[in-house]
Amino acid sequence: MESTLSSTETTTGICFAFRDNELLLSFDDNDHVTIPSISNLSLLGIQPIRTQYLGRINNQHGYSAELPHDTVVSSNMQFMNLRQIYSLIDEDLFVQAGRAIQIMNWDKTHQYCGQCGSLTETLPNEYAKVCPKCKLTNYPRICPAIIVAVVKDDHILLAQGTRFTSPFYSVLAGFVEPGETLEECVQREIKEEVGIEVKDISYFGSQSWPFPNSLMIAFTCKYDRGEIEMDKMEIKDAGWFNAHNLPPIPSSISISRQLIDWFVLNHSQKS
């Protein structure tokens, strides 16, 4: 994972290049957005600090890259954070961009061993860094988190988090704690955030989510008992909504929206 690529790869390949966790995008005269190639960066005189090979993406080589803090680009290019580009690139590329930023940050933050401080070495055929001195091996960090649709009769529980930057409501979510099963995490997070208890927890699906380094594991469940009592540190507002009276909700690219769409599909005729 060095910043110098082999001669056969320097002119080909898509490159997810990040400056301070913002992705570099190119805009044409019609505001069509593309991800620059390795050759684009080279022609512009942009030299990454490090690059990481991601494999084949859309039938071409794919890379992530860490750019210097002072990187300056031309007027038809712009750095944007991943949350800003939801609607600008297609879903497959967004998923790859999320993967790229996680690999880039792992490479950047594991140059030295966390146990003895020695310079690490990258293993050749996997995303792993090993310390040649103490043999500690580090892999990219993935944080499991649950996200859950709670259904009561023909209503779904939606909440607005205190950290939301947009006025939308979503289903509840939270990170799994050490020693905890996914089902236990579902029960604990719901109890802590809104004070109710649930039952009949069922697996729904999963999604890689780079905010930050998460694997979102989605569930559905049924309300069991209790009244909504919000944790004001985490939740601004929460309530029960039917399929015909939903507040602003997340975009279709997120698994939270998939859970809400599932609810609407299965409860719109009953409300």
Side-chain angles (χ1 to χ4, degrees):
M1 293 189 181
E2 299 298 327
S3 59
T4 302
L5 306 176
S6 70
S7 59
T8 59
E9 296 169 345
T10 53
T11 60
T12 61
I14 186 172
C15 186
F16 298 91
F18 295 92
R19 184 190 68 183
D20 297 330
N21 290 325
E22 291 189 323
L23 178 64
L24 180 61
L25 300 174
S26 294
F27 294 80
D28 65 17
D29 293 339
N30 297 315
D31 285 335
H32 177 68
V33 179
T34 56
I35 307 296
S37 67
I38 287 290
S39 58
N40 291 150
L41 299 185
S42 179
L43 288 172
L44 292 168
I46 298 174
Q47 179 61 44
I49 299 171
R50 279 175 286 271
T51 60
Q52 304 83 27
Y53 185 60
L54 302 175
R56 302 287 290 183
I57 298 175
N58 294 343
N59 296 318
Q60 58 184 319
H61 292 294
Y63 300 89
S64 54
E66 175 192 352
L67 301 182
H69 297 293
D70 58 356
T71 299
V72 178
V73 296
S74 58
S75 59
N76 67 327
M77 306 182 86
Q78 185 176 346
F79 286 101
M80 303 180 72
N81 69 57
L82 293 190
R83 292 187 185 277
Q84 293 176 298
I85 67 173
Y86 272 164
S87 60
L88 299 181
I89 61 177
D90 65 41
E91 184 172 349
D92 289 341
L93 277 181
F94 180 81
V95 170
Q96 293 296 338
R99 175 169 170 253
I101 196 171
Q102 293 179 72
I103 296 298
M104 182 275 296
N105 276 322
W106 165 76
D107 189 19
K108 178 172 66 174
T109 58
H110 288 79
Q111 292 293 304
Y112 294 90
C113 176
Q115 183 163 270
C116 73
S118 299
L119 189 66
T120 58
E121 297 176 351
T122 303
L123 296 183
N125 296 314
E126 60 180 325
Y127 292 121
K129 287 183 175 289
V130 63
C131 174
K133 184 175 180 180
C134 70
K135 305 305 179 185
L136 178 69
T137 302
N138 279 291
Y139 301 90
R141 178 183 176 190
I142 299 173
C143 303
I146 61 89
I147 185 164
V148 56
V150 183
V151 177
K152 178 183 180 183
D153 299 324
D154 296 321
H155 291 73
I156 185 172
L157 177 65
L158 298 177
Q160 187 178 41
T162 56
R163 288 172 287 187
F164 287 6
T165 56
S166 300
F168 65 74
Y169 284 63
S170 187
V171 292
L172 298 182
F175 288 104
V176 181
E177 294 184 350
E180 192 173 51
T181 68
L182 297 173
E183 291 80 5
E184 288 169 343
C185 183
V186 168
Q187 293 171 322
R188 175 184 56 77
E189 282 289 339
I190 294 171
K191 183 68 173 177
E192 288 178 354
E193 294 193 358
V194 292
I196 67 172
E197 297 181 26
V198 297
K199 61 184 180 180
D200 298 341
I201 300 169
S202 298
Y203 175 75
F204 177 85
S206 64
Q207 181 182 43
S208 177
W209 196 243
F211 306 115
N213 307 325
S214 303
L215 175 63
M216 303 300 295
I217 305 147
F219 294 88
T220 63
C221 65
K222 294 180 181 177
Y223 165 85
D224 188 17
R225 64 172 73 88
E227 298 296 328
I228 293 177
E229 295 181 11
M230 294 179 293
D231 175 358
K232 294 298 181 65
M233 296 293 292
E234 297 286 338
I235 304 295
K236 272 190 219 174
D237 188 36
W240 299 102
F241 298 87
N242 67 40
H244 303 290
N245 187 33
L246 294 176
I249 55 177
S251 68
S252 59
I253 202 169
S254 65
I255 200 164
S256 57
R257 177 59 177 269
Q258 294 173 35
L259 282 164
I260 296 170
D261 288 345
W262 163 86
F263 166 77
V264 171
L265 179 65
N266 287 277
H267 293 82
S268 60
Q269 300 301 318
K270 302 176 184 178
S271 302

